[in-house]
Amino acid sequence: MNVLLSGGPGAGQVAETTGGDTLVWRACLYERTGETGRAGGESLRVYAHREDCCEAKGRGSEDRCE
């Protein structure tokens, strides 16, 4: 299933997920929201970026993101 990423380094990207509550995109955590967005002419579920869980910013384990 394709989803739309909101916020963070993946903002606006379409990613594939198995339908879980979270997904990891390039070492950053995204969580499923109740929102939908449009990309490529289709309506997609939105996954929002968790800023406190982005390994690229040197965060992660200390913020309980594992």
Side-chain angles (χ1 to χ4, degrees):
M1 163 173 46
N2 287 336
V3 298
L4 181 62
L5 303 181
S6 173
Q13 296 291 319
V14 175
E16 190 172 332
T17 183
T18 57
D21 290 336
T22 61
L23 72 89
V24 176
W25 185 85
R26 295 192 181 177
C28 289
L29 183 67
Y30 287 79
E31 294 179 316
R32 183 171 59 186
T33 69
E35 301 173 25
T36 58
R38 295 197 62 80
E42 62 182 314
S43 183
L44 302 171
R45 176 169 279 154
V46 173
Y47 276 62
H49 179 244
R50 281 267 316 263
E51 249 185 73
D52 62 326
C53 294
C54 195
E55 293 295 337
K57 292 185 178 182
R59 300 177 186 143
S61 61
E62 69 270 22
D63 293 324
R64 289 176 259 137
C65 298
E66 295 179 29

